[in-house]
Amino acid sequence: MKILHAIPSLEIGGAEKIVARLCMALADQGHDVTLLLFKSINYKSFEINNKVKIKVIEPGISFKYNPLSFIKVFNFIKRERFDVVH
């Protein structure tokens, strides 16, 4: 299954830890997992035990409400044809 998780950043916080752990668990089960971050980080993917990779997408847009940002994210989701968006 192709799954997209979107979150503003992976900075310290409860929701961020849950999303990171959920992504790892789903990827470990064989799902194609992509993480959409609005705040830039230093890597484009992260690995679990050097075997499971999770793609990290940074669209380069602000998380603040902006209709153009919404359209860019919506078009990305539509183009990639994710089964689940969270």
Side-chain angles (χ1 to χ4, degrees):
M1 188 178 305
K2 195 169 180 180
I3 302 170
L4 173 71
H5 289 279
I7 194 160
S9 74
L10 282 181
E11 291 178 354
I12 298 173
E16 291 80 2
K17 289 179 183 177
I18 289 171
V19 168
R21 289 179 184 158
L22 182 58
C23 286
M24 289 184 233
L26 290 168
D28 196 33
Q29 292 177 4
H31 297 286
D32 180 10
V33 180
T34 302
L35 183 60
L36 178 67
L37 296 174
F38 292 94
K39 189 168 183 182
S40 187
I41 56 176
N42 294 331
Y43 46 86
K44 296 292 180 192
S45 69
F46 56 93
E47 297 182 15
I48 307 155
N49 298 328
N50 297 321
K51 64 177 183 172
V52 178
K53 287 194 175 186
I54 297 169
K55 288 179 274 187
V56 178
I57 305 296
E58 300 173 51
I61 56 177
S62 171
F63 185 68
K64 296 177 183 177
Y65 178 75
N66 179 345
L68 294 176
S69 298
F70 177 77
I71 291 169
K72 285 182 182 180
V73 171
F74 180 78
N75 287 336
F76 169 74
I77 292 169
K78 190 175 177 182
R79 181 178 61 247
E80 294 294 320
R81 296 182 167 236
F82 290 100
D83 298 314
V84 176
V85 177
H86 175 247

